[in-house]
């Protein structure tokens, strides 16, 4: 069984264990850093690709401030002509932050949306990524003609059954992206 | 394999099943078993940490002064959990997306510390590895069964394969359904386990 404790061996033991563990973690971090960055970049790239029309070179991340909140965006352009903007937009859903990538064409219409990360309830709010009827509503959404909020709040978006809060957060995220787009255009 | 060793390995399945008999580690059990795949992956993640921490702890236990043994065990467990987290983030980003939140919680999963304290610190390396494997597989099995039951009732699918259109009984996907399903499975499990 365990050795009898005295100050020296307690300090020595803890120091040794912590040193070895931190060395291990350091190595592991160095080993996995590149794959992790690549995995994250792939996710981001895939989501940008999904929300923008084909063609056009995608720029590096830029930042726009809307209501004091910085939000990241990417511009897809063909030469000098801007094809579309992809704007990252985060709101609070039912289970935590809900982050969307919203593609907006220069005329101000929503081209498409895709969920970057969420912590919604599986089987309920998490359907915002799988319920086609829900997310396809935002495809080609014209914010000057229709209102970006759920029908319960007097808008034009059909909420997911039993997941009004998630649907609200999703609509709000798209709305914020549209606001960000207006700011970008105004610049 | 001697009978005693076999016994150490198999006791985690029924006699000391962590979920249904010992009722340990219920937080990740209830939270992650929304589908069979999630339950299975959480079980395997815990298995990984459990086996490695059991091995290391049984190896260093004689050298650790008894007043600091808990902090030392926690540091060892946390190290393995963090390694697992890095690895998942790097190589299975999709899995990490669903389970990421619960992986750090393996550190405070009482099964892992419980086995370190109750078994690994008093037994040899081989026995401790077997104990970790047995308990880990028992945990994985329980989580998969619970996840499967909840997925079938809640979403009408099994391992992602959908066999009804539309929704199931949504309550089983949410926390209250987790308690209900766990309760009934426990009754069933203990009835069968008592008979055998």
């Amino acid at each position: 069984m365990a050795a009898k404790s005295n100050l020296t061996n307690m300090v020595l033991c803890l120091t040794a264990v912590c040193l070895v563990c931190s060395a291990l973690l350091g190595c592991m971090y160095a080993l996995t850093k590149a794959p992790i960055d690549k995995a994250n970049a792939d996710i981001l790239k895939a989501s940008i690709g999904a929300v923008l029309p084909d063609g056009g070179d995608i720029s590096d991340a830029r930042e726009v401030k809307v209501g004091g909140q910085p939000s990241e965006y990417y511009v897809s352009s063909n030469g000098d002509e801007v094809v579309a903007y992809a704007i990252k937009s985060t709101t609070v859903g039912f289970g935590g932050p809900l982050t969307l990538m919203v593609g907006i064409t220069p005329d101000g219409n929503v081209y498409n949306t895709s969920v970057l990360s969420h912590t919604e309830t599986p089987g309920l709010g998490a359907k915002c990524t799988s319920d086609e009827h829900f997310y396809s509503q935002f495809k080609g959404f014209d914010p000057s003609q229709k209102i970006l909020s759920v029908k319960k709040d007097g808008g034009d978006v059909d909420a997911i059954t039993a997941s009004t809060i998630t649907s609200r957060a999703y609509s709000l995220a798209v709305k914020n992206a549209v606001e960000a787009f207006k700011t970008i255009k105004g610049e | 394999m001697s009978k005693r060793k076999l016994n150490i390995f198999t006791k985690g399945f029924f006699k000391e099943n962590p979920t249904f008999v010992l009722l340990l580690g219920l937080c990740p059990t209830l939270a992650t078993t929304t589908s069979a795949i999630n339950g299975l992956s959480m079980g395997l993640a815990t298995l990984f940490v459990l086996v490695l921490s059991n091995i290391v702890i049984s190896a260093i236990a004689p050298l650790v002064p008894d007043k600091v043994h808990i902090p030392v065990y926690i540091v060892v467990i946390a190290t393995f959990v963090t390694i697992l987290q890095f690895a998942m983030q790097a190589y299975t980003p999709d899995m990490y997306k669903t389970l990421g939140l619960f992986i750090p919680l393996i550190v405070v999963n009482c099964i892992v510390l419980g086995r370190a304290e109750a078994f690994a610190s008093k037994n040899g390396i081989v026995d401790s590895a077997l104990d970790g494997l047995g308990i880990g597989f028992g945990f994985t099995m329980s989580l998969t069964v619970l996840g499967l039951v909840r997925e079938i009732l809640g979403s009408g699918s099994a391992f992602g394969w959908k066999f009804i259109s539309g929704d199931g009984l949504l309550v089983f996907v949410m926390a209250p359904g987790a308690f209900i399903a766990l309760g009934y499975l426990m009754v069933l499990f203990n009835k069968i386990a008592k008979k055998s």
Side-chain angles (χ1 to χ4, degrees):
Chain A
M1 252 319 275
K4 202 153 171 50
S5 337
N6 57 47
L7 187 64
T8 335
N9 72 3
M10 284 197 289
V11 172
L12 273 178
C13 175
L14 274 178
T15 315
V17 168
C18 289
L19 265 178
V20 171
C21 288
S22 13
L24 259 176
L25 285 183
C27 293
M28 193 64 195
Y29 177 76
L31 269 176
T32 53
K33 189 167 187 324
I36 289 175
D37 287 348
K38 197 181 161 292
N40 287 341
D42 281 350
I43 295 173
L44 190 69
K45 221 170 137 189
S47 69
I48 294 175
V51 299
L52 293 182
D54 287 338
D57 299 316
I58 293 156
S59 72
D60 287 337
R62 296 178 197 177
E63 219 177 68
V64 59
K65 276 211 160 75
V66 183
Q69 286 286 331
S71 101
E72 235 171 69
Y73 75 101
Y74 302 80
V75 184
S76 157
S77 52
N78 223 335
D80 282 342
E81 190 198 351
V82 172
V83 179
Y85 299 89
I87 299 165
K88 201 165 157 185
S89 174
T90 304
T91 49
V92 179
F94 186 74
L98 173 75
T99 308
L100 298 186
M101 187 60 86
V102 183
I104 298 178
T105 45
D107 55 8
N109 287 353
V110 177
Y111 184 78
N112 205 349
T113 58
S114 119
V115 178
L116 275 179
S117 69
H118 73 89
T119 46
E120 301 306 293
T121 321
L124 292 171
K127 277 200 201 139
C128 64
T129 60
S130 61
D131 185 345
E132 205 190 330
H133 176 74
F134 177 72
Y135 66 72
S136 64
Q137 295 178 87
F138 297 98
K139 230 173 183 168
F141 200 100
D142 182 355
S144 60
Q145 299 292 320
K146 293 194 274 185
I147 304 162
L148 261 174
S149 59
V150 294
K151 287 204 168 132
K152 225 181 214 169
D153 303 340
D156 286 307
V157 175
D158 272 329
I160 304 167
T161 315
S163 309
T164 313
I165 294 174
T166 307
S167 311
R168 256 185 207 142
Y170 202 107
S171 310
L172 184 65
V174 177
K175 198 173 174 183
N176 288 347
V178 171
E179 291 304 316
F181 165 78
K182 283 180 188 156
T183 319
I184 297 168
K185 277 290 240 184
E187 271 171 4
Chain B
M1 201 186 280
S2 71
K3 199 161 177 251
R4 196 185 70 91
K5 292 229 182 325
L6 191 71
N7 198 28
I8 292 175
F9 178 62
T10 52
K11 72 177 186 314
F13 289 65
F14 285 100
K15 222 175 104 234
E16 288 184 27
N17 183 295
T19 309
F20 295 134
V21 180
L22 302 179
L23 303 191
L24 285 176
L26 288 186
C27 162
T29 304
L30 295 170
T32 59
T33 53
T34 48
S35 71
I37 291 283
N38 283 359
L40 181 69
S41 348
M42 186 63 191
L44 290 178
T46 311
L47 172 81
F48 169 85
V49 173
L50 196 54
V51 173
L52 289 179
S53 67
N54 258 9
I55 291 174
V56 170
I57 286 168
S58 72
I60 62 170
L63 304 170
V64 176
D66 60 344
K67 273 189 189 158
V68 291
H69 72 280
I70 297 276
V72 169
Y73 296 173
I74 295 274
V75 171
V76 171
I77 295 167
T79 307
F80 284 121
V81 171
T82 315
I83 288 176
L84 175 75
Q85 195 182 2
F86 281 146
M88 279 183 80
Q89 223 174 336
Y91 304 110
T92 56
D94 286 339
M95 203 78 241
Y96 184 74
K97 233 173 156 182
T98 23
L99 291 181
L101 195 62
F102 298 101
I103 296 298
L105 286 180
I106 298 177
V107 179
V108 286
N109 189 326
C110 28
I111 299 171
V112 185
L113 188 62
R115 291 329 287 177
E117 182 68 8
F119 196 95
S121 62
K122 300 184 183 108
N123 289 278
I125 295 181
V126 179
D127 286 2
S128 303
L130 282 175
D131 176 75
L133 274 176
I135 297 279
F137 275 123
F139 188 61
T140 309
M141 182 188 78
S142 329
L143 254 64
T144 314
V145 171
L146 182 57
L148 187 64
V149 168
R150 287 180 65 192
E151 196 184 345
I152 290 174
L153 293 174
S155 337
S157 60
F159 287 99
W161 177 72
K162 213 155 165 59
F163 55 80
I164 60 161
S165 60
D167 297 328
L169 300 161
L170 282 176
V171 67
F172 280 100
V173 179
M174 298 192 293
F179 280 99
I180 297 170
L182 179 68
Y184 278 104
L185 279 178
M186 220 178 265
V187 170
L188 200 69
F189 188 89
N190 285 323
K191 203 165 160 61
I192 296 169
K194 248 187 206 134
K195 262 188 196 155
S196 58

